[in-house]
C-alpha cells in the first residue's frame, strides 16, 4: 500500500464530509439571516412547511454542526501532529491558530449574529491538554462527558428545577458541551489512526454504525411525534439524540466514501469542503443576498430549502473554478498567514 496515496484519499473524504456538513448548516442558518421582530410577520408553518420543519429537526438540527465540530477535532490532531513532525511546538502553534480564528469570528459576529467561529475558537483551547494524552484516557474522558451531558439533559426534562440544578444544567447541558464532545471525538478518531486507514478499521466503524442505528431510528420517531404535538421539550429531545445520530452519520459517510466511484462523484462537494472556512463565511452573504432578491421579510421552511440549495450550488461552482487556479481558499490563506506569519503560495503547480 502506498501511504501517500492513502493519505490523499482520506483528505478528499474529509473534504467531502466537510462540504456536506456546510450544506446541512445552511438549512439552520438561512432562517436566522432574517431577524424576527415581535409583533411582525412570522414564517408560514402550515402544510408542507410544517412537514419540512419537522424533517429539518429530525435529520439536520444540531447534527451537521456536530459533524463540522467532529472534523474540527480531526483537523486539530492533523495540524498539531504535522507541526510536531516539522519540529514546531504543536500546542503553541495551534493556540495561535485559535486566536486568529477568534479574531475573525468576533468580526463575523457583527455581520451574522449566529456565527459559530468565535465559540469554536474558545472551546478549541480545551483540546490542547489532550494532545499528548493516551487514547485510553481520552476515551474515558469522552465517555464521562457524554454520560454527564445526557444525564443533565434528562434532568432538564424530568427533574424539578432549582438554583443548584439550574447552575448544573447551564454548565453541562448546553450546546457548547456538545461541540466539545464532537471536538474530542474527532481528535480521538484521528489520534487512533482511523481517519487515515478507514478500510483497516472498517469492522470497528461498522460496529459504531450498527450500535447507533437503533438510536437514530428511535430519536427520529421521537422528534417527529414531539414536533407534531408541539412538545415544548423538542430541543432537549434533539439534544439527546445529537451524539448517536452524528456518530451514525459519520460512520455511514466514512464507509460510503471508501467507494472510489462515489467519492469521485462527490468531488465537487469536496471542493466546497476544501475551502470550508471561506465558504462558511460566504454563506451568510450569499444567503442574505438571495433573500433580499426574493423580497422576503421572513423565510418559511420550504423557502429555506430553496435558498440553501441555490447557495450551495453557487458555492460548488465557485469552489470548483477557484481550485482550477489556486491551491488554497482566500480566507484559508489569511488564516494560515495569521497562524505562521509568512506568505503562502496559492498558485497551482
Amino acid at each position: 500500500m502506498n501511504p501517500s496515496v492513502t493519505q490523499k484519499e482520506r483528505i478528499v473524504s474529509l473534504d467531502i464530509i466537510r462540504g456536506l456538513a456546510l450544506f446541512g448548516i445552511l438549512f439552520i442558518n438561512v432562517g436566522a439571516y432574517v431577524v424576527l421582530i415581535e409583533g411582525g410577520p412570522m414564517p408560514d408553518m402550515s402544510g408542507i412547511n410544517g412537514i419540512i420543519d419537522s424533517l429539518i429537526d429530525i435529520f439536520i438540527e444540531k447534527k451537521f454542526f456536530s459533524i463540522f465540530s467532529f472534523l474540527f477535532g480531526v483537523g486539530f490532531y492533523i495540524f498539531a501532529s504535522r507541526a510536531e513532525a516539522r519540529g514546531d511546538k504543536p500546542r503553541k502553534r495551534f493556540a495561535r491558530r485559535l486566536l486568529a480564528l477568534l479574531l475573525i469570528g468576533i468580526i463575523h459576529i457583527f455581520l451574522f449574529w449566529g456565527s459559530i467561529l468565535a465559540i469554536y475558537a474558545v472551546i478549541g483551547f480545551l483540546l490542547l491538554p489532550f494532545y499528548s494524552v493516551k487514547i485510553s484516557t481520552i476515551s474515558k474522558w469522552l465517555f464521562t462527558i457524554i454520560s454527564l451531558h445526557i444525564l443533565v439533559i434528562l434532568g432538564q426534562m424530568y427533574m424539578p428545577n432549582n438554583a443548584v440544578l439550574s447552575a448544573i444544567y447551564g454548565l453541562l447541558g448546553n450546546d457548547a458541551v456538545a461541540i466539545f464532545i464532537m471536538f474530542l471525538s474527532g481528535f480521538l478518531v484521528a489520534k487512533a489512526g482511523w481517519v487515515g486507514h478507514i478500510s483497516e478499521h472498517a469492522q470497528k466503524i461498522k460496529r459504531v454504525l450498527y450500535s447507533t442505528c437503533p438510536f437514530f431510528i428511535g430519536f427520529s420517531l421521537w422528534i417527529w411525534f414531539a414536533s407534531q404535538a408541539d412538545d415544548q421539550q423538542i430541543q432537549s429531545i434533539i439534544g439527546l439524540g445529537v451524539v448517536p445520530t452524528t456518530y451514525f452519520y459519520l460512520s455511514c459517510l466514512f464507509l460510503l466514501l471508501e467507494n472510489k466511484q462515489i467519492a469521485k462523484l462527490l468531488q465537487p462537494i469536496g471542493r466546497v469542503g476544501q475551502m470550508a472556512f471561506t465558504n462558511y463565511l460566504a454563506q451568510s452573504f450569499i444567503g442574505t443576498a438571495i433573500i433580499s432578491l426574493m423580497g422576503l421579510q421572513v423565510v418559511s421552511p420550504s423557502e429555506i430549502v430553496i435558498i440553501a440549495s441555490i447557495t450551495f450550488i453557487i458555492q460548488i461552482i465557485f469552489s470548483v473554478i477557484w481550485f482550477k487556479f489556486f491551491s488554497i481558499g482566500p480566507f484559508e490563506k489569511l488564516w494560515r498567514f495569521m497562524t505562521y506569519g509568512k506568505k503562502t503560495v496559492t498558485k497551482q503547480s
Side-chain angles (χ1 to χ4, degrees):
M1 181 181 292
N2 186 335
S4 63
V5 173
T6 302
Q7 176 66 10
K8 183 178 179 181
E9 289 175 349
R10 294 289 69 78
I11 291 174
V12 169
S13 299
L14 290 175
D15 286 337
I16 292 170
I17 297 172
R18 194 176 288 110
L20 290 170
L22 281 171
F23 186 38
I25 287 169
L26 269 169
F27 283 83
I28 305 304
N29 281 354
V30 164
Y33 294 155
V34 177
V35 178
L36 298 179
I37 302 173
E38 188 176 351
M42 299 297 290
D44 177 19
M45 292 295 179
S46 62
I48 188 65
N49 283 314
I51 294 173
I52 292 172
D53 188 56
S54 296
L55 293 176
I56 289 174
D57 282 342
I58 292 169
F59 297 110
I60 298 175
E61 179 76 30
K62 296 187 180 182
K63 283 85 170 179
F64 283 83
F65 268 119
S66 294
I67 292 174
F68 207 63
S69 301
F70 176 91
L71 294 173
F72 186 93
V74 171
F76 164 64
Y77 179 76
I78 293 173
F79 176 91
S81 59
R82 287 178 178 176
E84 186 175 30
R86 292 193 305 269
D88 203 349
K89 296 179 180 179
R91 292 186 185 88
K92 181 179 179 181
R93 185 62 64 186
F94 193 72
R96 178 167 172 171
R97 187 170 177 82
L98 289 173
L99 288 172
L101 181 63
L102 178 61
L103 177 59
I104 296 172
I106 290 171
I107 296 171
H108 191 223
I109 287 174
F110 288 100
L111 303 172
F112 170 49
W113 66 270
S115 175
I116 199 73
L117 298 179
I119 297 172
Y120 265 40
V122 173
I123 299 173
F125 281 100
L126 297 177
L127 282 174
L128 295 175
F130 288 93
Y131 180 66
S132 299
V133 175
K134 293 180 180 178
I135 290 173
S136 59
T137 304
I138 298 172
S139 300
K140 292 174 184 176
W141 271 93
L142 183 60
F143 177 79
T144 302
I145 297 169
I146 291 173
S147 299
L148 289 173
H149 184 60
I150 290 172
L151 287 172
V152 165
I153 294 176
L154 288 171
Q156 288 175 319
M157 295 173 68
Y158 299 114
M159 290 181 64
N161 206 346
N162 58 47
V164 176
L165 287 177
S166 293
I168 296 172
Y169 296 159
L171 181 64
L172 296 173
N174 57 59
D175 288 343
V177 176
I179 290 171
F180 180 67
I181 286 171
M182 298 317 302
F183 277 8
L184 197 57
S185 298
F187 175 75
L188 175 62
V189 167
K191 188 177 178 70
W194 289 24
V195 173
H197 307 89
I198 296 297
S199 58
E200 294 177 19
H201 297 277
Q203 290 305 315
K204 295 176 184 177
I205 296 172
K206 286 179 182 178
R207 282 200 291 271
V208 174
L209 177 69
Y210 298 147
S211 62
T212 55
C213 184
F215 288 99
F216 166 69
I217 294 171
F219 277 108
S220 296
L221 292 172
W222 192 2
I223 294 168
W224 171 261
F225 288 116
S227 66
Q228 298 308 298
D230 289 326
D231 193 328
Q232 297 301 307
Q233 294 185 325
I234 189 167
Q235 287 302 312
S236 295
I237 298 169
I238 292 171
L240 276 175
V242 163
V243 173
T245 299
T246 305
Y247 287 170
F248 175 74
Y249 281 1
L250 287 165
S251 301
C252 288
L253 288 169
F254 276 120
L255 292 172
L256 190 66
L257 290 171
E258 280 296 286
N259 185 307
K260 296 186 184 298
Q261 291 182 330
I262 293 175
K264 185 177 181 180
L265 181 66
L266 296 178
Q267 195 168 9
I269 293 176
R271 290 301 194 186
V272 177
Q274 194 173 339
M275 50 190 289
F277 191 28
T278 296
N279 280 316
Y280 177 77
L281 291 168
Q283 282 182 348
S284 53
F285 297 102
I286 299 171
T288 302
I290 294 172
I291 291 171
S292 178
L293 288 172
M294 294 174 68
L296 300 175
Q297 289 183 297
V298 294
V299 185
S300 67
S302 58
E303 289 164 341
I304 285 175
V305 173
I306 295 169
I307 295 165
S309 299
I310 293 173
T311 300
F312 196 64
I313 289 170
I314 291 171
Q315 294 198 304
I316 289 175
I317 295 170
F318 174 79
S319 299
V320 169
I321 293 173
W322 180 271
F323 282 109
K324 288 185 180 297
F325 302 97
F326 304 97
S327 61
I328 187 172
F331 279 94
E332 283 74 12
K333 181 181 179 182
L334 173 64
W335 195 14
R336 181 177 293 185
F337 176 77
M338 294 172 73
T339 301
Y340 293 103
K342 56 186 178 182
K343 293 182 179 180
T344 57
V345 179
T346 57
K347 285 285 183 182
Q348 287 276 29
S349 57

